[in-house]
Amino acid sequence: MAQQKIAFIGLGIMGLPMAKNLVAAGFSVAGYNRSPEKTAELVAAGGTAAGTIGEAVAEADVIITMVPDSPDVEGVVIGENGAFAQAKDGALWIDNSTIRPDVAVALAEEARAVGLRALDAPVSGGEAGAISGALSIMVGGDAADFAAAADVFAAVGKTIVHVGPAGSGQTVKAANQLIVAANIQALAEGVAFLEAYGVDTTAALEVLGGGLAGSKVLDQKGQKMLDRDFAPGFRLALHHKDMGIVTAAAREAGVVLPLGGLVAQLVASTVASGDGGLDHSGLFRGVQRLGGSDTTAEAAATTTA
Amino acid sequence: MAQQKIAFIGLGIMGLPMAKNLVAAGFSVAGYNRSPEKTAELVAAGGTAAGTIGEAVAEADVIITMVPDSPDVEGVVIGENGAFAQAKDGALWIDNSTIRPDVAVALAEEARAVGLRALDAPVSGGEAGAISGALSIMVGGDAADFAAAADVFAAVGKTIVHVGPAGSGQTVKAANQLIVAANIQALAEGVAFLEAYGVDTTAALEVLGGGLAGSKVLDQKGQKMLDRDFAPGFRLALHHKDMGIVTAAAREAGVVLPLGGLVAQLVASTVASGDGGLDHSGLFRGVQRLGGSDTTAEAAATTTA
Amino acid sequence: MAQQKIAFIGLGIMGLPMAKNLVAAGFSVAGYNRSPEKTAELVAAGGTAAGTIGEAVAEADVIITMVPDSPDVEGVVIGENGAFAQAKDGALWIDNSTIRPDVAVALAEEARAVGLRALDAPVSGGEAGAISGALSIMVGGDAADFAAAADVFAAVGKTIVHVGPAGSGQTVKAANQLIVAANIQALAEGVAFLEAYGVDTTAALEVLGGGLAGSKVLDQKGQKMLDRDFAPGFRLALHHKDMGIVTAAAREAGVVLPLGGLVAQLVASTVASGDGGLDHSGLFRGVQRLGGSDTTAEAAATTTA
Amino acid sequence: MAQQKIAFIGLGIMGLPMAKNLVAAGFSVAGYNRSPEKTAELVAAGGTAAGTIGEAVAEADVIITMVPDSPDVEGVVIGENGAFAQAKDGALWIDNSTIRPDVAVALAEEARAVGLRALDAPVSGGEAGAISGALSIMVGGDAADFAAAADVFAAVGKTIVHVGPAGSGQTVKAANQLIVAANIQALAEGVAFLEAYGVDTTAALEVLGGGLAGSKVLDQKGQKMLDRDFAPGFRLALHHKDMGIVTAAAREAGVVLPLGGLVAQLVASTVASGDGGLDHSGLFRGVQRLGGSDTTAEAAATTTA
């Protein structure tokens, strides 16, 4: 089989390492980014630079988009300068962005209407997972399209699961963000409690990690809370956007999320307090503020670091 | 060194397998239980039966208590018929119960006042961990006493950590229960959301488990929520007690727990709704009720199972 | 001054008595309703019936809309068959509906673009207030337009306040719905608490009403909670819609509503549980359910009543 | 009937004006206060000063206590130097303090055991109500004792209601504090929302007060929030104590308070943030902090004022 050609739109903190991993796996990758500096890094890694979306997708068998939010995805695929209008007939569009499930469903329909195939395939695992090619990928769409994309997914991810029809990937990602935010908030409250009582917190995290409280969040974020290290990682501002997605989708479906509703407000508070650029483990700073701590000095330290 | 003699008070769902593991590790174990049938199982495993607390502790180098709540511990150690008054001088008291940190501190002082040594050493890991000897044990007290108890702890646990002075074990256990309850509630809301949208939930749990949402709670409770299998395990009624401990201790210390405060109410609701005897994964049933599901039929199924 | 002509669109539980009060105050009122039966009642009261929106607005100096939600307002004012396209030049549009503030702002701009004037003027006070002409009216728009509408407002309301530019009326109404829902939920929890302790609840409501806990909600809903009388009044399904408006608008503006976020979930739960058709005092039934009460029998009683 | 003699223990911000009103109503009042300066004010108003509790109660027909918390009441009534041991046989003890209902029940039993009669009679209405003699009084105890105390209550209160047996007054007061705190928090969130959208907030409060959102809290605290005037009034530190009472009592009775649980945390946060000395309308500052406002400058202004 001839080498597959991939158009990769969105070479940000996640997209660039994913595109590089695709190059490394033997794909021919044409990258496009709104601010073109990022494209140079892809070229250095063996990809090619596209000056427009049309140029990127013209020959592509697979079109990947990795941009921040629902309007961004619409912006790059819809319209006469968008990917859909300029793609090869039968090309496969994979959207790795995290967007609203209903928008994902609508866009998949539009893609099919113009003769394309579509998968919504948001990822979890952060920058580290993107670099190491170990992302979790939750995929919505037709099973045949999922099967056809196996090599592409294998180049960037490790846990790759087909979870249902179009939109299902985004639904699972929404649940992922709900659970992750709540687990971080729970850990943050637990750590604040332990610090207030003066126990050996590093030892405490060790023993908590060995029992039912153990989690990826505790493993990856616990010690960082103790160290007040909130360098991103995944930014609170993006998690705030995602909590908006999951609470709105739950409302739409008649699902009641008492914890989710509160966590969404607590995430919103961190953004309102100026911590939107910190890692989502920065929810700990919200707990500190509620407990009366002045986090200004620590903020300065974090910013400098 | 001569074989250490252990008095084990409280041979319940956790205590009995722990006592058996101590026998298997070569300790001489005299068991006492309020309702004496349980003692027979220990005798069958090679332990001995004590008819009174005094008989159990008379020759013991180590006295272990494993009972439900603060008043229960006070009931077995305080008073002229209690363990403290009848123990050998210098004996080591290890309390594996989950109780209020302030009560643990007070009882440790009383123990020292009568010439005993004391460790608060609550455990995490459930019945399965108790049977397999793989509990996590969070220990508060003097470092020397912790060191002296190494062989005892090794017989029942796997992750064994000294987390600070008297009471610290209970403090860490309180944080553990806070985090576990919140993680369960978050998972329950996520699962309810996924079910409402009709995705492949088993596949979804797999991919969630591979990303940052992964946790012991998801591994152990996720599929059971899908299966509506809420057989205990760790009962909601006990977790309700524990949420009372952590919220009261937080109030005492001036720590603010917005998530913890809400989760405590949601746990309370399951108990008020008659689910106190179910596993704590039964928080999922509370989410269902909030979403308008009639859980009566399922309750019947669970009870029959 | 010649008699002002009013087009009244939306003759529902609120709109019909308001339109009648306008007739009684001497205005010439042409009524339009999607389902035309309601128009007959207006005609009987001295108004006229319009078969289309165009017919209603053709001669109108003032166009009033009173429909359930943002899309309904858009549906009656936008498009070639809508009110804007067919209104007299310079006519004043007053929207008494409760809709999203951002939609109100956008529609006011569209109205001005076609030579109309616009006020957003949602009301509070319920069916009783609509019938007695004692509504509170919170008005957004130009001061001159507010002044020009004085007679119209005086015919239907009692507390009539200009609160700012276009959209401000809806913003204040959103805050109203937030406060009302929270006050009802607080009262419901208080009543459940009092009932659990077996105090004389009617006496308790009397003394609570005399102190700082006193409120319109307590006066109007307290005894009804004790009587389990949840006949609407203002339906939970509509309050659910309104909680969606206020939480979304708060998110947009970076305002954090911890209580509002939770109350929105509790309102959502009543709707999911089938109580959407009850009065919003039916939040009490949600508190009962959380407390383990089977509300099915009471539901039957309420439905029958 | 001879002039009734009253012992008044606790001449604080509430107790002193109440005692003065009793003097003005013709009672003979002997006042006792831990710090004796306050007694001088009572003497100036026509009362007498007692140097000890025993001296105050020796001749008293009625013994009134008005102190901050459960342990304070126990401190003045229990023990050989306490009021119970030194009171006249058959004297009536009225506790106007706000304490735990279960403690009120226990103390009423102790009072009866030594031949006294007892009423728990917490009040609502704040310093203003105490000065003007317009308090709401919620009374638990025997109906005959309530009737016997009519003249005493009439001298200090306006809405005076017997709500049930011993402890019931405290139960109703606990519900009062729950509702008041939630109503304040709801108003605070509403005001923050209105300010963010730049509406005319004074006008908005006027129209809100005319509709279903109207309440004593809105009337008394709304404009003060706009003015950032948080001079007490009723201190957040005391409301924090009271939220502990109502959440614990709800837990005891199996009542689930989702809103109450969250409000208790938000009140706790204001105290942890150093606002415990402000009026409970200072919950608004918590909402501001969650929204990212630096309240330090305002705090300074408030403290200076």
Side-chain angles (χ1 to χ4, degrees), chain A residues 44-84:
Chain A
T48 61
T52 64
I53 290 172
E55 197 182 323
V57 305
E59 303 295 321
D61 307 297
V62 174
I63 299 163
I64 297 179
T65 46
M66 185 50 152
V67 294
D69 201 353
S70 304
D72 304 298
V73 175
E74 293 171 328
V76 297
V77 301
I78 302 295
E80 60 181 300
N81 297 316
F84 288 178

mmCIF file of all heavy atoms in Angstrom, chain A residues 44-84:
data_model
loop_
_atom_site.group_PDB
_atom_site.id
_atom_site.type_symbol
_atom_site.label_atom_id
_atom_site.label_comp_id
_atom_site.label_asym_id
_atom_site.label_seq_id
_atom_site.Cartn_x
_atom_site.Cartn_y
_atom_site.Cartn_z
ATOM 1 N N ALA A 44 11.347 20.581 10.042
ATOM 2 C CA ALA A 44 12.635 20.069 10.541
ATOM 3 C C ALA A 44 12.549 18.592 10.881
ATOM 4 O O ALA A 44 13.530 17.841 10.773
ATOM 5 C CB ALA A 44 13.057 20.873 11.773
ATOM 6 N N ALA A 45 11.354 18.148 11.281
ATOM 7 C CA ALA A 45 11.175 16.742 11.662
ATOM 8 C C ALA A 45 10.868 15.850 10.461
ATOM 9 O O ALA A 45 10.721 14.627 10.616
ATOM 10 C CB ALA A 45 10.058 16.626 12.702
ATOM 11 N N GLY A 46 10.736 16.466 9.274
ATOM 12 C CA GLY A 46 10.505 15.645 8.090
ATOM 13 C C GLY A 46 9.143 15.802 7.448
ATOM 14 O O GLY A 46 8.838 15.138 6.440
ATOM 15 N N GLY A 47 8.337 16.707 7.989
ATOM 16 C CA GLY A 47 7.039 16.981 7.379
ATOM 17 C C GLY A 47 7.158 18.089 6.349
ATOM 18 O O GLY A 47 8.259 18.575 6.050
ATOM 19 N N THR A 48 6.024 18.501 5.810
ATOM 20 C CA THR A 48 6.032 19.622 4.876
ATOM 21 C C THR A 48 5.109 20.717 5.405
ATOM 22 O O THR A 48 4.234 20.459 6.238
ATOM 23 C CB THR A 48 5.551 19.201 3.470
ATOM 24 O OG1 THR A 48 4.203 18.725 3.601
ATOM 25 C CG2 THR A 48 6.428 18.110 2.899
ATOM 26 N N ALA A 49 5.321 21.938 4.919
ATOM 27 C CA ALA A 49 4.545 23.077 5.383
ATOM 28 C C ALA A 49 3.494 23.451 4.346
ATOM 29 O O ALA A 49 3.803 23.566 3.152
ATOM 30 C CB ALA A 49 5.460 24.264 5.649
ATOM 31 N N ALA A 50 2.270 23.656 4.823
ATOM 32 C CA ALA A 50 1.216 24.130 3.931
ATOM 33 C C ALA A 50 0.875 25.559 4.305
ATOM 34 O O ALA A 50 0.715 25.869 5.487
ATOM 35 C CB ALA A 50 -0.016 23.240 4.055
ATOM 36 N N GLY A 51 0.781 26.424 3.299
ATOM 37 C CA GLY A 51 0.509 27.835 3.561
ATOM 38 C C GLY A 51 -0.973 28.112 3.787
ATOM 39 O O GLY A 51 -1.336 29.118 4.378
ATOM 40 N N THR A 52 -1.807 27.214 3.275
ATOM 41 C CA THR A 52 -3.257 27.357 3.456
ATOM 42 C C THR A 52 -3.842 25.993 3.783
ATOM 43 O O THR A 52 -3.205 24.951 3.573
ATOM 44 C CB THR A 52 -3.945 27.858 2.175
ATOM 45 O OG1 THR A 52 -3.776 26.843 1.166
ATOM 46 C CG2 THR A 52 -3.333 29.174 1.697
ATOM 47 N N ILE A 53 -5.071 26.037 4.295
ATOM 48 C CA ILE A 53 -5.763 24.776 4.581
ATOM 49 C C ILE A 53 -5.958 23.994 3.276
ATOM 50 O O ILE A 53 -5.761 22.772 3.235
ATOM 51 C CB ILE A 53 -7.110 25.066 5.270
ATOM 52 C CG1 ILE A 53 -6.847 25.588 6.692
ATOM 53 C CG2 ILE A 53 -7.993 23.841 5.282
ATOM 54 C CD1 ILE A 53 -8.081 26.087 7.411
ATOM 55 N N GLY A 54 -6.298 24.721 2.203
ATOM 56 C CA GLY A 54 -6.511 24.062 0.923
ATOM 57 C C GLY A 54 -5.272 23.307 0.463
ATOM 58 O O GLY A 54 -5.365 22.165 -0.012
ATOM 59 N N GLU A 55 -4.129 23.947 0.598
ATOM 60 C CA GLU A 55 -2.862 23.316 0.213
ATOM 61 C C GLU A 55 -2.611 22.056 1.052
ATOM 62 O O GLU A 55 -2.144 21.039 0.543
ATOM 63 C CB GLU A 55 -1.755 24.351 0.451
ATOM 64 C CG GLU A 55 -0.434 24.067 -0.240
ATOM 65 C CD GLU A 55 0.604 25.144 0.118
ATOM 66 O OE1 GLU A 55 0.203 26.341 0.235
ATOM 67 O OE2 GLU A 55 1.760 24.777 0.331
ATOM 68 N N ALA A 56 -2.953 22.151 2.337
ATOM 69 C CA ALA A 56 -2.703 21.010 3.224
ATOM 70 C C ALA A 56 -3.554 19.796 2.852
ATOM 71 O O ALA A 56 -3.076 18.652 2.836
ATOM 72 C CB ALA A 56 -2.973 21.406 4.684
ATOM 73 N N VAL A 57 -4.824 20.051 2.534
ATOM 74 C CA VAL A 57 -5.739 18.925 2.373
ATOM 75 C C VAL A 57 -5.848 18.410 0.933
ATOM 76 O O VAL A 57 -6.446 17.345 0.705
ATOM 77 C CB VAL A 57 -7.169 19.277 2.875
ATOM 78 C CG1 VAL A 57 -7.134 19.758 4.323
ATOM 79 C CG2 VAL A 57 -7.842 20.308 1.977
ATOM 80 N N ALA A 58 -5.257 19.137 -0.013
ATOM 81 C CA ALA A 58 -5.486 18.832 -1.434
ATOM 82 C C ALA A 58 -5.240 17.367 -1.777
ATOM 83 O O ALA A 58 -6.038 16.725 -2.478
ATOM 84 C CB ALA A 58 -4.619 19.742 -2.307
ATOM 85 N N GLU A 59 -4.158 16.816 -1.301
ATOM 86 C CA GLU A 59 -3.789 15.430 -1.638
ATOM 87 C C GLU A 59 -4.016 14.458 -0.486
ATOM 88 O O GLU A 59 -3.636 13.281 -0.585
ATOM 89 C CB GLU A 59 -2.295 15.383 -2.031
ATOM 90 C CG GLU A 59 -1.933 16.293 -3.186
ATOM 91 C CD GLU A 59 -2.629 15.839 -4.472
ATOM 92 O OE1 GLU A 59 -2.732 14.625 -4.703
ATOM 93 O OE2 GLU A 59 -3.128 16.737 -5.223
ATOM 94 N N ALA A 60 -4.586 14.948 0.604
ATOM 95 C CA ALA A 60 -4.585 14.142 1.831
ATOM 96 C C ALA A 60 -5.613 13.017 1.808
ATOM 97 O O ALA A 60 -6.758 13.211 1.420
ATOM 98 C CB ALA A 60 -4.853 15.043 3.035
ATOM 99 N N ASP A 61 -5.169 11.824 2.263
ATOM 100 C CA ASP A 61 -6.080 10.703 2.514
ATOM 101 C C ASP A 61 -6.776 10.871 3.860
ATOM 102 O O ASP A 61 -7.905 10.430 4.043
ATOM 103 C CB ASP A 61 -5.297 9.386 2.503
ATOM 104 C CG ASP A 61 -4.479 9.226 1.243
ATOM 105 O OD1 ASP A 61 -5.093 9.152 0.150
ATOM 106 O OD2 ASP A 61 -3.231 9.215 1.344
ATOM 107 N N VAL A 62 -6.019 11.466 4.774
ATOM 108 C CA VAL A 62 -6.531 11.676 6.133
ATOM 109 C C VAL A 62 -6.311 13.140 6.523
ATOM 110 O O VAL A 62 -5.220 13.681 6.317
ATOM 111 C CB VAL A 62 -5.805 10.757 7.152
ATOM 112 C CG1 VAL A 62 -6.252 11.084 8.585
ATOM 113 C CG2 VAL A 62 -6.055 9.295 6.820
ATOM 114 N N ILE A 63 -7.355 13.769 7.052
ATOM 115 C CA ILE A 63 -7.255 15.153 7.517
ATOM 116 C C ILE A 63 -7.456 15.153 9.025
ATOM 117 O O ILE A 63 -8.509 14.716 9.508
ATOM 118 C CB ILE A 63 -8.335 16.030 6.863
ATOM 119 C CG1 ILE A 63 -8.159 16.031 5.351
ATOM 120 C CG2 ILE A 63 -8.303 17.450 7.424
ATOM 121 C CD1 ILE A 63 -9.390 16.514 4.592
ATOM 122 N N ILE A 64 -6.442 15.617 9.741
ATOM 123 C CA ILE A 64 -6.548 15.663 11.198
ATOM 124 C C ILE A 64 -6.654 17.111 11.649
ATOM 125 O O ILE A 64 -5.890 17.967 11.192
ATOM 126 C CB ILE A 64 -5.312 14.994 11.861
ATOM 127 C CG1 ILE A 64 -5.265 13.517 11.475
ATOM 128 C CG2 ILE A 64 -5.350 15.171 13.377
ATOM 129 C CD1 ILE A 64 -4.072 12.763 12.042
ATOM 130 N N THR A 65 -7.582 17.383 12.558
ATOM 131 C CA THR A 65 -7.685 18.724 13.143
ATOM 132 C C THR A 65 -7.462 18.623 14.649
ATOM 133 O O THR A 65 -7.955 17.705 15.310
ATOM 134 C CB THR A 65 -9.065 19.352 12.875
ATOM 135 O OG1 THR A 65 -10.088 18.394 13.159
ATOM 136 C CG2 THR A 65 -9.196 19.773 11.422
ATOM 137 N N MET A 66 -6.691 19.572 15.178
ATOM 138 C CA MET A 66 -6.392 19.597 16.619
ATOM 139 C C MET A 66 -6.323 21.061 17.051
ATOM 140 O O MET A 66 -5.259 21.666 17.093
ATOM 141 C CB MET A 66 -5.056 18.878 16.857
ATOM 142 C CG MET A 66 -4.691 18.736 18.336
ATOM 143 S SD MET A 66 -6.060 18.044 19.327
ATOM 144 C CE MET A 66 -5.157 17.226 20.645
ATOM 145 N N VAL A 67 -7.521 21.613 17.338
ATOM 146 C CA VAL A 67 -7.625 23.035 17.685
ATOM 147 C C VAL A 67 -8.422 23.178 18.979
ATOM 148 O O VAL A 67 -9.004 22.204 19.467
ATOM 149 C CB VAL A 67 -8.274 23.829 16.522
ATOM 150 C CG1 VAL A 67 -7.343 23.826 15.300
ATOM 151 C CG2 VAL A 67 -9.638 23.266 16.165
ATOM 152 N N PRO A 68 -8.455 24.394 19.586
ATOM 153 C CA PRO A 68 -8.952 24.480 20.970
ATOM 154 C C PRO A 68 -10.437 24.199 21.199
ATOM 155 O O PRO A 68 -10.785 23.506 22.160
ATOM 156 C CB PRO A 68 -8.622 25.924 21.378
ATOM 157 C CG PRO A 68 -7.504 26.337 20.481
ATOM 158 C CD PRO A 68 -7.770 25.639 19.177
ATOM 159 N N ASP A 69 -11.336 24.720 20.363
ATOM 160 C CA ASP A 69 -12.739 24.712 20.789
ATOM 161 C C ASP A 69 -13.667 24.540 19.574
ATOM 162 O O ASP A 69 -13.233 24.598 18.414
ATOM 163 C CB ASP A 69 -13.039 26.029 21.503
ATOM 164 C CG ASP A 69 -14.261 25.939 22.412
ATOM 165 O OD1 ASP A 69 -14.956 24.908 22.403
ATOM 166 O OD2 ASP A 69 -14.515 26.919 23.123
ATOM 167 N N SER A 70 -14.944 24.351 19.846
ATOM 168 C CA SER A 70 -15.931 24.119 18.788
ATOM 169 C C SER A 70 -15.859 25.159 17.671
ATOM 170 O O SER A 70 -15.807 24.785 16.491
ATOM 171 C CB SER A 70 -17.345 24.102 19.386
ATOM 172 O OG SER A 70 -17.443 23.153 20.413
ATOM 173 N N PRO A 71 -15.838 26.455 17.962
ATOM 174 C CA PRO A 71 -15.801 27.434 16.862
ATOM 175 C C PRO A 71 -14.511 27.337 16.050
ATOM 176 O O PRO A 71 -14.514 27.637 14.839
ATOM 177 C CB PRO A 71 -15.877 28.791 17.590
ATOM 178 C CG PRO A 71 -16.439 28.487 18.936
ATOM 179 C CD PRO A 71 -15.970 27.103 19.269
ATOM 180 N N ASP A 72 -13.419 26.931 16.685
ATOM 181 C CA ASP A 72 -12.157 26.783 15.956
ATOM 182 C C ASP A 72 -12.255 25.655 14.940
ATOM 183 O O ASP A 72 -11.776 25.779 13.811
ATOM 184 C CB ASP A 72 -11.008 26.508 16.933
ATOM 185 C CG ASP A 72 -10.904 27.587 17.996
ATOM 186 O OD1 ASP A 72 -10.667 28.741 17.637
ATOM 187 O OD2 ASP A 72 -11.099 27.255 19.183
ATOM 188 N N VAL A 73 -12.862 24.550 15.349
ATOM 189 C CA VAL A 73 -13.024 23.436 14.409
ATOM 190 C C VAL A 73 -13.914 23.879 13.249
ATOM 191 O O VAL A 73 -13.571 23.677 12.071
ATOM 192 C CB VAL A 73 -13.631 22.200 15.108
ATOM 193 C CG1 VAL A 73 -13.910 21.094 14.092
ATOM 194 C CG2 VAL A 73 -12.695 21.691 16.197
ATOM 195 N N GLU A 74 -15.034 24.493 13.592
ATOM 196 C CA GLU A 74 -15.912 24.983 12.520
ATOM 197 C C GLU A 74 -15.145 25.925 11.591
ATOM 198 O O GLU A 74 -15.316 25.889 10.370
ATOM 199 C CB GLU A 74 -17.128 25.684 13.131
ATOM 200 C CG GLU A 74 -18.036 24.711 13.889
ATOM 201 C CD GLU A 74 -19.130 25.400 14.696
ATOM 202 O OE1 GLU A 74 -18.892 26.526 15.194
ATOM 203 O OE2 GLU A 74 -20.214 24.810 14.844
ATOM 204 N N GLY A 75 -14.310 26.761 12.190
ATOM 205 C CA GLY A 75 -13.560 27.734 11.400
ATOM 206 C C GLY A 75 -12.626 27.095 10.365
ATOM 207 O O GLY A 75 -12.426 27.658 9.279
ATOM 208 N N VAL A 76 -12.068 25.939 10.680
ATOM 209 C CA VAL A 76 -11.106 25.339 9.744
ATOM 210 C C VAL A 76 -11.732 24.326 8.782
ATOM 211 O O VAL A 76 -11.132 24.000 7.756
ATOM 212 C CB VAL A 76 -9.894 24.687 10.465
ATOM 213 C CG1 VAL A 76 -9.100 25.756 11.223
ATOM 214 C CG2 VAL A 76 -10.315 23.561 11.376
ATOM 215 N N VAL A 77 -12.922 23.829 9.088
ATOM 216 C CA VAL A 77 -13.500 22.834 8.163
ATOM 217 C C VAL A 77 -14.633 23.387 7.293
ATOM 218 O O VAL A 77 -14.861 22.880 6.195
ATOM 219 C CB VAL A 77 -13.990 21.556 8.907
ATOM 220 C CG1 VAL A 77 -12.831 20.897 9.653
ATOM 221 C CG2 VAL A 77 -15.173 21.828 9.827
ATOM 222 N N ILE A 78 -15.336 24.426 7.790
ATOM 223 C CA ILE A 78 -16.510 24.942 7.069
ATOM 224 C C ILE A 78 -16.118 26.106 6.144
ATOM 225 O O ILE A 78 -15.115 26.775 6.372
ATOM 226 C CB ILE A 78 -17.569 25.429 8.085
ATOM 227 C CG1 ILE A 78 -17.987 24.290 9.022
ATOM 228 C CG2 ILE A 78 -18.798 26.015 7.383
ATOM 229 C CD1 ILE A 78 -18.698 23.145 8.350
ATOM 230 N N GLY A 79 -16.921 26.351 5.144
ATOM 231 C CA GLY A 79 -16.697 27.507 4.262
ATOM 232 C C GLY A 79 -15.859 27.142 3.051
ATOM 233 O O GLY A 79 -15.260 26.062 2.979
ATOM 234 N N GLU A 80 -15.809 28.089 2.109
ATOM 235 C CA GLU A 80 -15.134 27.753 0.848
ATOM 236 C C GLU A 80 -13.622 27.599 1.011
ATOM 237 O O GLU A 80 -12.972 26.928 0.221
ATOM 238 C CB GLU A 80 -15.457 28.800 -0.229
ATOM 239 C CG GLU A 80 -15.028 30.207 0.133
ATOM 240 C CD GLU A 80 -15.403 31.198 -0.972
ATOM 241 O OE1 GLU A 80 -14.921 31.015 -2.107
ATOM 242 O OE2 GLU A 80 -16.180 32.139 -0.690
ATOM 243 N N ASN A 81 -13.048 28.238 2.075
ATOM 244 C CA ASN A 81 -11.619 28.060 2.328
ATOM 245 C C ASN A 81 -11.351 26.963 3.354
ATOM 246 O O ASN A 81 -10.216 26.787 3.797
ATOM 247 C CB ASN A 81 -11.008 29.373 2.815
ATOM 248 C CG ASN A 81 -11.103 30.449 1.750
ATOM 249 O OD1 ASN A 81 -10.840 30.197 0.579
ATOM 250 N ND2 ASN A 81 -11.518 31.647 2.172
ATOM 251 N N GLY A 82 -12.394 26.265 3.739
ATOM 252 C CA GLY A 82 -12.245 25.256 4.765
ATOM 253 C C GLY A 82 -11.864 23.901 4.206
ATOM 254 O O GLY A 82 -11.855 23.669 2.991
ATOM 255 N N ALA A 83 -11.577 22.983 5.109
ATOM 256 C CA ALA A 83 -11.070 21.664 4.725
ATOM 257 C C ALA A 83 -12.111 20.854 3.942
ATOM 258 O O ALA A 83 -11.758 20.166 2.969
ATOM 259 C CB ALA A 83 -10.647 20.897 5.978
ATOM 260 N N PHE A 84 -13.372 20.915 4.370
ATOM 261 C CA PHE A 84 -14.384 20.073 3.718
ATOM 262 C C PHE A 84 -14.488 20.399 2.224
ATOM 263 O O PHE A 84 -14.574 19.496 1.370
ATOM 264 C CB PHE A 84 -15.758 20.256 4.352
ATOM 265 C CG PHE A 84 -15.891 19.642 5.725
ATOM 266 C CD1 PHE A 84 -17.081 19.769 6.450
ATOM 267 C CD2 PHE A 84 -14.847 18.914 6.311
ATOM 268 C CE1 PHE A 84 -17.228 19.202 7.705
ATOM 269 C CE2 PHE A 84 -14.996 18.350 7.581
ATOM 270 C CZ PHE A 84 -16.184 18.503 8.272
#
